[in-house]
């Protein structure tokens, strides 16, 4: 694996977007949609603030819901620039220390093609058996990544011309920063430190330290007990200062195996493989027992509240499976025995969804909102067929006639 790939966010292929005309064709957008986009920005309607989301500290989190047109444009940027299906690896080579929103990457290792997963579990795994761990949290990361930073990613990483980079920066920002909730924001956040992070990582590697960043969570670890991270902290602060990014001092944590069960992204890394904390395993078992008690009431088992409880329980068990916990399979079998069941109201709901799709199919079949309703109808029918097989079969046959168009 080359050093460039190991440290730098780089463009993988020479393919370019030399003009605004090519950009419009690449994103499948029209001049009128671009005009409409800027009108939405000017009128403050490009994004809607989502209320009721809070950080762990109790402070309200600034999350935005993009307008359907903005969502469409950003989805195209993701699928055709940041992470296109062809080539599978995308246009960008992401360094091995970045995790989270970064696509999984195939790479050659001693002549064999291997997959590097980029989720939080894989990130935590790189710190397993390290005896000292430093965790640094970047405060308000999204709010501090500005339009100029986004412009520089398109110009200096993807090598696009100024006019192309400028309009792409407009598509990806709101009020001069990347909005949390924007479809492109996570990719941009991953690339935001492209010009300062590589040198830091190389310096830390020379000190035999492991460095990872999962969006705004930086982790540095050492095989030495009670390692002095003073230099690492200074270097990280220096790097972030260059980008005007503040550190959350309250979340700057140093852990040593000798005095605690070291957690990285909520997982214990004192072992060869990441493990869930023991108290979380107990909570998952308790949630399964609680769900089994709820399922005994047939009236409640057909309710929407039961579906939410069941989905939460399944999510926790899936996490156990991903970790490889030996009790995950047993718990999964128990939960699959008490799947949510439909009521007669669900027949009405499914009929309404299918009728809505049939009515809107000619004009809306290429829209993202149409595809979302189509997927919802499939989900509802999967539950309906557990009891009302004939009705579900009839509705599914109608659904096959109104498939979304390929975008």
């Amino acid at each position: 694996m080359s050093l460039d790939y190991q440290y730098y966010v780089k463009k993988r292929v020479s393919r370019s977007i030399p003009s605004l005309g090519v950009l419009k064709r690449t994103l499948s957008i029209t001049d009128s949609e671009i005009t409409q986009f800027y009108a939405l920005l000017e009128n403050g309607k490009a994004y809607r603030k989502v209320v009721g989301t809070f950080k762990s500290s109790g402070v309200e989190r600034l999350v935005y819901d993009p307008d359907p047109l903005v969502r469409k444009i950003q989805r195209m940027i993701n699928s055709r620039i940041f992470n296109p299906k062809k080539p599978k690896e995308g246009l960008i080579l992401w360094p091995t220390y970045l995790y989270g929103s970064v696509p999984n990457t195939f790479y050659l290792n001693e002549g064999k093609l291997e997959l590097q997963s980029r989720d939080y579990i894989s990130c935590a795994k790189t710190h397993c058996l390290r005896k000292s761990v430093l965790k640094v949290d970047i405060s308000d990361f999204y709010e501090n990544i500005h339009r100029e930073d986004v412009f520089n990613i398109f110009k200096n990483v993807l090598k696009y011309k100024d006019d192309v980079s400028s309009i792409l920066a407009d598509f990806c920002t709101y009020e001069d920063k990347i909005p949390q909730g924007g479809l492109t924001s996570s990719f941009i956040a991953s690339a935001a430190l492209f010009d300062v992070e590589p040198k830091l990582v190389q310096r830390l590697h020379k000190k035999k330290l492991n460095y990872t960043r999962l969006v705004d969570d930086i982790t540095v670890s050492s095989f030495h007990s009670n390692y002095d991270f003073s230099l690492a902290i200074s270097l990280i602060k220096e790097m972030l200062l260059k980008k005007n990014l503040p550190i959350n001092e309250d979340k700057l944590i140093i852990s040593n195996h000798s005095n605690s069960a070291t957690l990285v992204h909520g997982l214990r890394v004192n072992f060869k493989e990441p493990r869930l904390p023991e108290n979380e395993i107990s909570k998952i078992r308790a949630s399964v027992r609680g769900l089994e008690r709820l399922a005994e009431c047939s009236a409640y088992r057909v309710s929407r509240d039961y579906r939410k409880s069941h989905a939460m329980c399944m999510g926790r068990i899936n996490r156990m499976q991903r970790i490889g916990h030996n009790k995950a399979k047993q718990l999964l079998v128990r939960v699959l025995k008490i799947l949510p069941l439909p009521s007669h109201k669900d027949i009405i709901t499914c009929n309404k969804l299918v009728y809505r799709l049939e009515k809107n199919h000619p004009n809306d079949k290429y829209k993202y909102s149409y595809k979302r309703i189509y997927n919802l109808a499939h989900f509802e029918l999967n539950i309906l067929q557990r009891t009302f097989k004939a009705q579900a079969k009839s509705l599914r046959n109608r659904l096959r006639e109104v498939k979304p168009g390929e975008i």
Side-chain angles (χ1 to χ4, degrees):
M1 194 180 297
S2 69
L3 288 178
D4 279 355
Y5 179 79
Q6 185 177 358
Y7 293 113
Y8 292 91
V9 179
K10 293 187 64 179
K11 189 174 181 179
R12 194 181 71 86
V13 293
S14 58
R15 188 184 308 155
S16 185
I17 300 178
S19 66
L20 292 178
V22 175
L23 176 66
K24 286 185 285 186
R25 291 196 296 273
T26 300
L27 302 183
S28 298
I29 57 175
T30 63
D31 288 327
S32 62
E33 286 177 317
I34 293 175
T35 301
Q36 185 183 348
F37 167 79
Y38 281 107
L40 288 170
L41 276 184
E42 186 176 349
N43 296 327
K45 296 181 178 180
Y47 295 84
R48 178 182 62 85
K49 184 180 176 182
V50 179
V51 297
T53 57
F54 298 90
K55 301 179 183 179
S56 57
S57 61
V59 178
E60 186 177 15
R61 189 185 298 276
L62 293 176
V63 179
Y64 296 91
D65 180 27
D67 176 87
L69 175 61
V70 180
R71 186 180 291 274
K72 173 193 171 183
I73 294 172
Q74 292 185 349
R75 190 173 67 254
M76 291 299 183
I77 292 172
N78 281 352
S79 64
R80 298 183 181 180
I81 295 179
F82 282 125
N83 188 30
K85 294 179 180 178
K86 293 182 180 180
K88 291 181 180 179
E89 297 85 353
L91 299 183
I92 295 177
L93 280 172
W94 297 94
T96 54
Y97 53 81
L98 291 180
Y99 291 83
S101 58
V102 178
N104 295 339
T105 306
F106 287 96
Y107 67 95
L108 283 174
N109 183 22
E110 297 180 354
K112 294 182 180 180
L113 195 64
E114 295 187 3
L115 176 68
Q116 182 190 9
S117 177
R118 300 298 187 106
D119 64 5
Y120 73 100
I121 296 174
S122 299
C123 184
K125 186 176 180 178
T126 68
H127 299 283
C128 280
L129 297 180
R130 303 271 173 158
K131 296 181 179 179
S132 300
V133 175
L134 165 69
K135 290 183 282 188
V136 179
D137 179 74
I138 306 173
S139 292
D140 302 320
F141 191 31
Y142 283 69
E143 290 85 347
N144 284 290
I145 300 174
H146 297 279
R147 184 188 180 282
E148 182 182 359
D149 301 311
V150 181
F151 173 85
N152 286 331
I153 290 171
F154 288 114
K155 177 178 174 61
N156 298 320
V157 176
L158 290 169
K159 310 298 183 184
Y160 296 157
K161 291 184 177 180
D162 286 1
D163 57 347
V164 174
S165 298
S166 182
I167 193 171
L168 282 168
D170 290 340
F171 288 154
C172 298
T173 56
Y174 179 58
E175 296 181 344
D176 202 37
K177 59 190 178 186
I178 65 168
Q180 191 161 351
L183 276 65
T184 54
S185 295
S186 56
F187 284 109
I188 291 169
S190 295
L193 307 181
F194 75 93
D195 51 344
V196 294
E197 202 166 28
K199 292 181 181 178
L200 165 74
V201 180
Q202 289 179 71
R203 293 184 69 175
L204 294 179
H205 281 183
K206 288 178 181 178
K207 296 289 184 181
K208 307 299 182 184
L209 298 174
N210 181 39
Y211 173 99
T212 61
R213 177 165 64 87
L214 188 135
V215 189
D216 58 354
D217 289 326
I218 293 173
T219 306
V220 182
S221 60
S222 169
F223 282 118
H224 297 287
S225 299
N226 300 310
Y227 187 85
D228 183 2
F229 285 110
S230 299
L231 176 61
I233 294 171
S234 297
L235 292 175
I236 291 170
K237 286 184 175 180
E238 179 184 335
M239 173 190 72
L240 296 177
L241 185 62
K242 291 177 181 177
K243 306 293 287 187
N244 295 317
L245 292 169
I247 280 180
N248 187 338
E249 295 286 353
D250 293 335
K251 291 187 177 181
L252 197 156
I253 301 171
I254 296 176
S255 302
N256 293 287
H257 285 8
S258 58
N259 57 28
S260 65
T262 306
L263 298 180
V264 174
H265 308 310
L267 301 173
R268 298 162 67 194
V269 293
N270 306 63
F271 312 92
K272 289 183 178 180
E273 299 287 337
R275 296 185 184 181
L276 289 169
E278 285 299 324
N279 63 338
E280 186 167 347
I281 299 297
S282 300
K283 289 178 181 178
I284 295 172
R285 286 172 172 163
S287 69
V288 172
R289 289 194 296 270
L291 193 69
E292 288 171 333
R293 287 194 292 270
L294 291 174
E296 292 173 1
C297 176
S298 57
Y300 190 73
R301 191 172 171 184
V302 300
S303 70
R304 295 277 164 168
D305 285 341
Y306 180 80
R307 291 187 193 181
K308 291 179 183 178
S309 299
H310 191 278
M312 288 177 61
C313 201
M314 281 292 293
R316 291 170 175 170
I317 294 172
N318 288 337
R319 191 177 186 218
M320 285 182 69
Q321 284 191 306
R322 178 70 178 83
I323 296 295
H325 197 280
N326 58 4
K327 298 296 182 182
K329 188 175 181 179
Q330 296 176 16
L331 294 174
L332 179 63
V333 169
R334 289 167 59 182
V335 172
L336 289 177
K337 288 180 179 179
I338 50 173
L339 290 170
L341 296 176
S343 67
H344 284 88
K345 289 182 180 179
D346 291 308
I347 300 176
I348 299 173
T349 299
C350 288
N351 268 290
K352 286 181 178 179
L353 286 171
V354 174
Y355 173 75
R356 183 177 175 183
L357 290 166
E358 290 172 334
K359 181 180 178 182
N360 297 331
H361 181 259
N363 298 321
D364 296 347
K365 64 180 179 180
Y366 293 105
K367 293 183 179 180
Y368 173 78
S369 56
Y370 182 91
K371 186 175 181 180
R372 186 174 58 187
I373 296 170
Y374 181 86
N375 291 336
L376 176 61
H378 260 297
F379 173 78
E380 293 287 344
L381 285 174
N382 288 339
I383 297 176
L384 189 69
Q385 70 183 8
R386 292 170 189 164
T387 302
F388 306 103
K389 297 184 184 299
Q391 292 90 333
K393 182 179 180 180
S394 174
L395 288 167
R396 203 178 292 281
N397 288 335
R398 290 166 58 188
L399 198 60
R400 291 193 183 99
E401 302 299 320
V402 289
K403 291 181 180 180
E406 289 294 328
I407 298 174

